[in-house]
Amino acid sequence: MNGNNFSGKLPNAIGELHKLTFADLSFNRFSGAIPKEIGKLTDIVHLSLGTNQLSGNIPASIGKLQKLRFLSLRNNRLSGEIPAEIGQLENLTRLFLDENNLTGGIPSAFGKLKNLNTLKLTDNRLTGNIPNELTEMEMLEYLSLGNNLLTGTLPDSIGKLKQLKTLNVNTNKMNGELPPSIGELEKLEWLVLLNNQFNGEIPEEIGNLQELKGLTLTNNKFSLFPEAIGQLTALESLHAANAFAGGHLPANIGNLKKLTLALLGQNNLGGEIPTGIGELNKLERLALEKNQLSGTIPAEIGNLQDIRQLWLAYNQLSGALPAELGQLTQMTWFDASHNNLSGKLPPELGNLRNAQTLILAENKFTGSIPSEWESMENITKIILSNNELRGETPNFLFYLPQLVQLTLLYNHLEFTPEQKELDRQGNKYFLLPQKTEKEK
């Protein structure tokens, strides 16, 4: 009966269906309260009332459904506290109460749900700490508590959840340090901690999570970027922007052979980019912007054959751009602006025929714009302002077929009268002013 656009209230008489074992009324338009008589369905095994317009409290009588294995009340308008009586449903394997307006704490009685595999309480207004009793749910594989108002840190006993594959507490008000026992979650594949206020050092035991595929730490207050991340050899995605107060990229980062995504901007990371980064041959997006990285861009970065987007802006990188960047033929976006890079612009960048955005502003590049760049037939944006470029401006720049923005301000470039007439036309060409002789 799911998805039939039924409406109205659930009748109290539903409790008379004593032999009912399966009820799926999800994806309808039922409204009003869940009748307490639902507690009379003592033979029911599967009850799904998700994605309706039900309101009011979850009736405590639901705790009488001792045979229940599946319960979904998700995506309704339910309010009030989660009844502790749900903890009496000892046969329950999957529980979905997400996307409601539930308040209060997570019942400690949930620790009695020894057979529970999945617990999803996201998108409510739950408060308080995660109760230690939750770690008694020894069969739990999926725990999702995101988008609530939870406080405190993870329970010290979190490592008891030996079957856990997903732990998601994103967008709460959690704080404090992560317990070392997190390293005991040997089957964990996805750890999502973003948008909290976790602090201190990430315990080195996190390096034990050899099954971890996704690690999301964005927007927290951890101290130093952990060396142990280099031990997570199964890692595929690392979201950790604005998560740390400092540190450096570990020398063993090259161990992360399966990594496709690394977003590490705004972390005050210092030191050099390790040459081992060139071993991440599955990497598609690398963001290191707004750190304190120094030294040169390693030539090994040219080994990242699958890279699509590379952000290195707002650091203290110096030296020349490596010619090996021209090997990154899949790259669509390259931003190395606001550094101390110098030397000539590599002609090899002309090999980037898939490039759409090239931003090298606010550096110390010299020489002329290479004629080889004419091959970048898909380029839409070239920004080279505030460098020390000289010579005639090649005319091909004004005939690139996909170009929507060309910014060459504050260099020492020369323009023909015809080129000067294009300045500021259609907010496409930004050519003048150039630097005066005194600024040279």
Side-chain angles (χ1 to χ4, degrees):
M1 296 176 66
N2 67 323
N4 282 296
N5 211 28
F6 293 133
S7 60
K9 295 183 178 181
L10 294 175
N12 294 344
I14 194 172
E16 304 303 318
L17 303 175
H18 300 298
K19 295 184 179 181
L20 190 66
T21 61
F22 186 98
D24 186 354
L25 302 177
S26 59
F27 295 95
N28 283 291
R29 293 190 298 155
F30 290 114
S31 58
I34 300 173
K36 66 179 185 298
E37 287 79 6
I38 206 160
K40 296 180 180 180
L41 303 177
T42 52
D43 281 341
I44 199 161
V45 174
H46 182 111
L47 177 59
S48 181
L49 302 177
T51 313
N52 281 286
Q53 300 170 22
L54 298 170
S55 58
N57 294 347
I58 300 173
S61 60
I62 212 162
K64 297 178 181 179
L65 308 181
Q66 293 296 304
K67 295 183 180 180
L68 200 61
R69 294 177 58 83
F70 180 100
L71 175 60
S72 175
L73 305 178
R74 67 178 308 273
N75 195 17
N76 279 289
R77 301 171 183 174
L78 298 169
S79 58
E81 297 189 1
I82 300 172
E85 287 79 1
I86 288 180
Q88 300 170 13
L89 305 177
E90 295 182 358
N91 289 304
L92 202 62
T93 61
R94 304 180 73 188
L95 176 58
F96 300 90
L97 303 179
D98 50 303
E99 295 185 66
N100 281 290
N101 295 307
L102 299 170
T103 56
I106 300 171
S108 58
F110 277 11
K112 300 176 184 178
L113 302 176
K114 304 296 186 183
N115 292 302
L116 199 68
N117 168 280
T118 299
L119 176 60
K120 191 169 184 181
L121 304 178
T122 51
D123 298 292
N124 282 289
R125 292 186 290 149
L126 300 174
T127 55
N129 294 357
I130 298 174
N132 289 326
E133 288 81 358
L134 255 62
T135 63
E136 301 295 329
M137 297 187 292
E138 55 193 29
M139 300 302 294
L140 199 63
E141 294 185 12
Y142 185 98
L143 177 59
S144 187
L145 307 175
N147 285 296
N148 280 289
L149 301 170
L150 298 173
T151 52
T153 189
L154 299 177
D156 289 338
S157 54
I158 193 74
K160 295 169 68 175
L161 299 176
K162 301 298 185 183
Q163 305 301 317
L164 200 63
K165 294 182 179 179
T166 295
L167 174 57
N168 183 353
V169 296
N170 83 85
T171 316
N172 279 285
K173 296 184 176 181
M174 300 185 72
N175 52 32
E177 299 186 7
L178 299 181
S181 66
I182 199 168
E184 299 173 20
L185 303 176
E186 296 180 356
K187 293 187 178 181
L188 196 66
E189 296 179 359
W190 305 97
L191 177 58
V192 183
L193 306 178
L194 83 156
N195 295 340
N196 280 287
Q197 299 176 39
F198 289 113
N199 54 52
E201 293 188 10
I202 291 182
E204 62 181 17
E205 288 83 356
I206 201 169
N208 297 334
L209 304 181
Q210 292 300 298
E211 300 297 321
L212 198 66
K213 297 178 181 179
L215 178 59
T216 303
L217 307 173
T218 304
N219 294 337
N220 277 285
K221 298 181 179 180
F222 294 112
S223 54
L224 300 179
F225 191 86
E227 296 276 340
I229 282 182
Q231 301 171 25
L232 303 177
T233 54
L235 202 63
E236 297 175 6
S237 66
L238 174 58
H239 293 256
N242 191 34
F244 297 95
H248 59 270
L249 295 173
N252 61 352
I253 197 169
N255 292 338
L256 309 183
K257 307 293 187 186
K258 297 182 179 180
L259 198 65
T260 63
L261 174 67
L263 305 183
L264 303 175
Q266 303 178 62
N267 282 310
N268 204 34
L269 299 176
E272 298 187 359
I273 299 174
T275 57
I277 207 154
E279 300 176 33
L280 307 179
N281 52 22
K282 291 189 177 181
L283 201 59
E284 296 179 6
R285 293 174 63 193
L286 174 61
L288 296 173
E289 79 284 357
K290 296 183 180 178
N291 283 293
Q292 301 293 326
L293 296 169
S294 57
T296 59
I297 299 173
E300 289 81 359
I301 211 162
N303 296 331
L304 305 180
Q305 295 297 300
D306 287 340
I307 200 81
R308 266 68 168 177
Q309 298 172 339
L310 178 57
W311 289 280
L312 303 176
Y314 292 94
N315 280 286
Q316 300 172 15
L317 298 169
S318 57
L321 282 181
E324 288 80 359
L325 285 167
Q327 300 170 17
L328 307 180
T329 55
Q330 300 301 313
M331 189 159 62
T332 62
W333 188 298
F334 178 47
D335 185 354
S337 62
H338 295 86
N339 280 286
N340 295 311
L341 298 167
S342 57
K344 295 184 177 181
L345 298 174
E348 291 83 358
L349 294 188
N351 296 330
L352 306 181
R353 289 180 170 80
N354 289 305
Q356 297 173 11
T357 298
L358 176 63
I359 307 177
L360 300 174
E362 303 285 345
N363 281 289
K364 299 176 181 178
F365 291 115
T366 56
S368 59
I369 298 173
S371 59
E372 289 83 353
W373 287 18
E374 186 174 5
S375 300
M376 292 192 287
E377 55 195 24
N378 288 302
I379 198 79
T380 61
K381 183 184 295 185
I382 298 177
I383 302 179
L384 304 176
S385 52
N386 275 295
N387 280 288
E388 302 296 329
L389 299 173
R390 298 177 182 274
E392 297 180 356
T393 303
N395 217 35
F396 74 82
L397 290 171
F398 302 91
Y399 292 95
L400 291 168
Q402 306 297 327
L403 195 70
V404 297
Q405 183 182 347
L406 174 65
T407 301
L408 304 176
L409 303 168
Y410 300 109
N411 282 283
H412 308 285
L413 294 168
E414 302 169 12
F415 299 95
T416 66
E418 292 80 10
Q419 290 172 347
K420 288 182 179 180
E421 288 181 6
L422 296 173
D423 185 40
R424 298 304 199 280
Q425 281 195 18
N427 287 322
K428 181 175 181 178
Y429 301 111
F430 299 87
L431 312 178
L432 302 171
Q434 293 289 300
K435 294 180 179 179
T436 65
E437 288 297 321
K438 289 183 180 180
E439 290 174 314
K440 296 179 185 179

